[in-house]
Amino acid sequence: MRDAVSRQRRIGRRIGRRIGRRIVCLLAAIAGCLITVTPSAAAGALSTTTSESFPGPGGGTTVKGVLVRLSIETRTTIAGHVIGSDRISAWIDSGDRRIQVPPESVAGVPTGTHVAVTLGPAGTADASAPPRVRALAVLGRSTAGALARAARPSSHTVTVVLALPPGARPDTMTASRLTWAISTGAAAFWLRESGGRIVFSVARAIGWTRLTHDCTDVWGVWDEARSLSGFSPGARRHLMVYVPPGSGCPNGLSTVAPSPDAGGYLLVGGTSTGLLAHELGHNLGLGHSDALTCPGSADATFVEKWPPGCTHDDYGDWYDVMGISWDNLGTLSTAHASRLGVLEPGSVLSVTGPARAVLYPVSGRSGLRSLRITDPMGDVYVVEYRAAVGTDAWLGTAANWRGLHPGVLVRRIDPEDPTRTLLLDPTPPAPGTTPDWDRALPVGSSLVTASGRITIRVESEAGGAAAVVVSRDGVGPIGVVQPRGRLVNGTQVTIGEAPAVWAAAR
């Protein structure tokens, strides 16, 4: 009898603890505390939640959490110029800990997705390598792959901390200088490129502060800086940690947010406008502007991986701020501007079939500036006309030391990650030859998508505009079609933001 009573008491205590924890979580949710939904909020959690891990199939350990991606930038020198190169790391944030996983193991899974991963050994002799992902289950979808809807003016605040990891010495940077660099550089860039919709301001700047963590544990650096500065993660809030060069840290590192308003974390080792704007762009939910290079072909079919010979060139888009970090900072690509929802009404034409569009320069801020094509296989291509005018005038000056060409550019939304874009090469290199830097589609030339069913041709470039013709299955556009309503060969045709439906000529 005494044993039965003891068991009942133990069961009662366990139930009481569970109910207590649920009440605490409920009160925390009501109070707006860290009940993690976005990676930015999850990155701020220390030990306020308990990670879920349990034995998985085949003896592995299964962990539930949020998929977080970090963009890590380093500096290299090309032709005497210092530029950025980059890689992406992937993490599972389970609340009180973060577990790195190989980025290829979560390819195609949007940032911010709630997942359960079963982990196994690293599969390599390197003890520091992340564990293998033996199984992955999606528990809740992220909205990161969806285009932003109506873009409202939004104010973002940045908390700045000048940090000294162990062994690092301060340079000449001051809190006021970094604040000035953000305000007059990166903040001005995003204000311009968003049409005044995205406003960054520095809420607080903390001078040189010594940390106990170094950059081998960047989450520890951010957690420590968050605690020292009083930063509270949340919507449109950003924590930027500046570290001096030579401190063993990357030149730039940031969380890729699941949406433009999620906020995030950054670490920078410089103050150039390109670097700061790029890292803040990741916090707005933008991935990289990369490139695809295939010998003898402008495009390729992606089935789990790219075909042999094709390379996914990280940072391969030199035209865009989310591409390589270098001397020049031009107009934000219309693919990324669409994701942020900052393109004006009438500036985007979305089609699935034959169409003729007259595109105006992306830097002009007016008229039709982006053609969005959905291939019958579901792939999405974004076409824009980048002339050497306005904020892209550098294309026609000596500052363009890379020798990029102005003209019509074709980007493909990356099938591995919809936050990223791939700049295609309409004049691909022959097998065994070195790729050039000419990515503009010449007048009179065509680019055929991987499916072979969509052809994009530049008809002309004149009068500050480019005429682009889209054909589907060998059928081009039929005459002039009035928006929303006219019948063509007995088929309803829709032009504008909605996809178009087309019929072949009879």
Side-chain angles (χ1 to χ4, degrees):
M1 182 68 178
R2 185 179 296 115
D3 292 341
V5 171
S6 297
R7 281 197 303 272
Q8 289 177 353
R9 287 176 177 171
R10 287 196 298 272
I11 293 172
R13 285 195 295 270
R14 285 199 296 269
I15 293 174
R17 285 195 295 269
R18 290 174 184 171
I19 293 174
R21 283 196 296 268
R22 290 173 182 172
I23 291 173
V24 168
C25 289
L26 178 60
L27 291 174
I30 294 172
C33 295
L34 287 173
I35 303 300
T36 59
V37 176
T38 66
S40 58
L46 291 174
S47 58
T48 57
T49 59
T50 301
S51 62
E52 293 189 74
S53 60
F54 45 89
T61 299
T62 296
V63 178
K64 291 183 180 180
V66 177
L67 175 59
V68 183
R69 285 184 172 91
L70 299 186
S71 167
I72 307 170
E73 185 181 24
T74 56
R75 308 301 283 176
T76 56
T77 301
I78 297 179
H81 295 262
V82 178
I83 62 172
S85 59
D86 192 85
R87 63 185 177 89
I88 293 289
S89 66
W91 301 72
I92 306 301
D93 191 318
S94 59
D96 62 346
R97 60 175 177 155
R98 303 164 192 100
I99 301 171
Q100 188 174 7
V101 296
E104 63 273 12
S105 67
V106 290
V109 181
T111 299
T113 300
H114 292 254
V115 297
V117 294
T118 300
L119 305 173
T124 174
D126 184 0
S128 63
R132 288 187 300 114
V133 173
R134 299 172 57 179
L136 183 147
V138 173
L139 306 179
R141 290 287 181 183
S142 166
T143 59
L147 292 176
R149 302 208 174 180
R152 303 183 303 273
S154 57
S155 296
H156 296 247
T157 59
V158 183
T159 297
V160 171
V161 177
L162 273 59
L164 293 171
R169 301 180 63 181
D171 59 7
T172 59
M173 184 57 57
T174 64
S176 60
R177 280 185 57 196
L178 183 53
T179 298
W180 183 86
I182 295 169
S183 301
T184 61
F189 172 84
W190 284 112
L191 186 69
R192 181 191 78 200
E193 295 304 313
S194 67
R197 294 178 179 88
I198 298 175
V199 181
F200 282 104
S201 62
V202 176
R204 188 182 184 193
I206 308 296
W208 289 111
T209 304
R210 292 208 169 271
L211 305 180
T212 59
H213 293 82
D214 61 26
C215 286
T216 60
D217 179 11
V218 68
W219 295 108
V221 169
W222 281 329
D223 287 339
E224 197 170 354
R226 180 184 65 84
S227 177
L228 291 168
S229 65
F231 173 77
S232 178
R236 297 178 296 280
R237 297 175 183 171
H238 308 263
L239 175 63
M240 179 183 291
V241 176
Y242 174 90
V243 291
S247 59
C249 297
N251 190 67
L253 194 154
S254 56
T255 55
V256 182
S259 72
D261 289 331
Y265 291 76
L266 310 87
L267 182 145
V268 297
T271 59
S272 70
T273 298
L275 172 65
L276 299 180
H278 179 102
E279 301 304 332
L280 285 171
H282 284 312
N283 273 194
L284 292 173
L286 300 181
H288 283 136
S289 297
D290 298 332
L292 180 66
T293 303
C294 298
S297 176
D299 197 12
T301 301
F302 178 84
V303 182
E304 296 187 352
K305 61 181 181 180
W306 296 105
C310 291
T311 59
H312 177 151
D313 302 320
D314 293 333
Y315 263 23
D317 188 342
W318 289 58
Y319 295 88
D320 190 56
V321 67
M322 299 311 297
I324 205 155
S325 298
W326 65 310
D327 313 55
N328 300 298
L329 189 63
T331 310
L332 181 68
S333 74
T334 58
H336 282 317
S338 291
R339 174 164 297 283
L340 293 178
V342 297
L343 286 178
E344 301 80 5
S347 61
V348 183
L349 174 63
S350 300
V351 301
T352 59
R356 183 181 186 275
V358 176
L359 296 176
Y360 292 90
V362 292
S363 62
R365 318 292 173 189
S366 63
L368 181 62
R369 294 187 290 129
S370 186
L371 181 60
R372 190 176 183 89
I373 306 165
T374 302
D375 184 272
M377 302 305 293
D379 294 310
V380 177
Y381 299 81
V382 180
V383 184
E384 68 181 30
Y385 177 46
R386 192 162 290 245
V389 296
T391 50
D392 294 316
W394 57 269
L395 284 166
T397 71
N400 181 16
W401 58 266
R402 176 50 85 190
L404 306 185
H405 290 229
V408 173
L409 304 178
V410 181
R411 294 181 176 89
R412 177 178 175 179
I413 303 301
D414 191 341
E416 293 184 272
D417 181 352
T419 70
R420 300 187 308 208
T421 60
L422 298 171
L423 181 62
L424 302 184
D425 187 354
T427 55
T433 62
T434 302
D436 57 27
W437 297 99
D438 186 4
R439 295 270 172 169
L441 182 56
V443 174
S445 300
S446 299
L447 183 151
V448 180
T449 62
S451 70
R453 300 184 62 184
I454 293 290
T455 300
I456 304 167
R457 180 171 63 87
V458 178
E459 191 175 62
S460 65
E461 287 183 23
V468 178
V469 175
V470 179
S471 302
R472 172 171 169 165
D473 296 329
V475 177
I478 309 170
V480 178
V481 181
Q482 297 298 321
R484 303 188 184 281
R486 182 174 174 180
L487 294 177
V488 176
N489 293 333
T491 300
Q492 180 73 41
V493 177
T494 301
I495 300 292
E497 294 298 327
V501 180
W502 299 83
R506 294 177 180 175

